[in-house]
Amino acid sequence: MNRNVLLEVKNLKKYFPIRGGGIVGKKITNHVRAVDDVSFQVYEGESFGVVGESGCGKSTTGRVILRLLDPTSGTVYFQGKNLAEVSEKEMRMLRKDIQIIFQDPFASLNPRMRVKHIIEEPLVNFNIVQGKENIRKKVEEIAEQVGLTKKQIERYPHEFSGGQRQRIGIARALASKPKLIIADEPVSALDVSIQSQVLNLLTRLQKEHGFTFIFISHDLSVVKHFCDRICVMYLGQIVEVANKNDLYKEPLHPYSQALLSAIPKPDPKLKKERIILTGDVPSPSNPPSGCPFHPRCAFAMDVCRKIRPRLKEQDDGRSIACHLYDSELSQNVI
Ligand code: SF4
């Protein structure tokens, strides 16, 4: 695998203010810590999975990378460029290289545009192809790559099924020849039978076009199918980053272990005991001191209640934020 870093996220935080009584204009009384000091690197050509339960901050991380949301602090480097320092004009051009596929294809497609115009838009906006005839040919070529016919692209989005709409979303993302595609739960709104078709399509397109993927999902089976490396998030923080095979064979962080134990096994002989977590996920507006997982962790020690474990690279290359794997213990007392 090519190990050139395409994207680097450093100490990224995104806090949303809570105002008194939930009323706009009132004094800020607290913050929802949606993303709380997250750092990771994504290499050129890989599929990097971001997994975790709903509300763990994975989608917010994707939106901050795309600058659809401004970060509270921290930096995002794309090809070595700090995205916080680029001008609006430069950012518009960078959007050609960073595209997104949304969870709900219907909501993300303009209902008043024919599919051919939806695919055409990035080609024209980024001046990728010139001349009416060339644009028409390119639109048809992209449509064909995602399995849409010339006849189908004359229609409007509402005339398609969920799986076909997602194909339109993929075609639109593909049109600008991006270097990075962030797919935010791209198949979770689809029927199970359609999910594998769309995943196979994404796998084939990545092989053909060589772009890098950040694949955000709550579904560990989907991520296993699709990703090379996986980062597990809990309550706005990364708890483990590992190669897919290492993680699925032997998850090390206690939260990863619980999460993976919940995946249904096709072979009953391989059935492992499911780890049932007690208690609810704490509120991101009032996270626990120390390790965010300590109120639910079966291995919690005194130090876990006081000191937040930092993500630390292990000898085998995976990174874990847990005191069980940190002999030195972080000095950052929360
Ligand atoms: Fe459990 Fe402590 Fe590790 Fe947190 S740091 S996961 S509480 S053992």
Side-chain angles (χ1 to χ4, degrees), residues 31 62-63 68 71 74 126 181 201 212 242 245 258-260 273 319 326:
H31 287 91
R63 279 168 167 69
L68 298 176
F126 297 118
I181 293 183
L201 172 67
T212 305
N245 294 338
L259 207 59
L260 269 93
E273 210 172 303
S319 299
D326 183 0

Side-chain angles (χ1 to χ4, degrees), residues 249-317:
K249 198 171 154 205
E250 192 188 8
L252 293 184
H253 192 282
Y255 176 65
S256 310
Q257 289 170 356
L259 207 59
L260 269 93
S261 77
I263 304 178
K265 307 277 181 305
D267 182 351
K269 283 183 220 144
L270 297 175
K271 211 172 177 185
K272 276 191 192 165
E273 210 172 303
R274 183 171 175 182
I275 301 167
I276 308 284
L277 292 175
T278 53
D280 295 326
V281 180
S283 165
S285 63
N286 186 22
S289 60
C291 172
F293 189 57
H294 87 250
R296 307 174 79 195
C297 180
F299 307 96
M301 308 167 273
D302 268 356
V303 65
C304 304
R305 293 174 192 94
K306 296 175 194 146
I307 299 177
R308 173 171 166 176
R310 298 285 153 186
L311 195 64
K312 240 185 149 187
E313 193 169 341
Q314 309 294 306
D315 293 341
D316 64 356

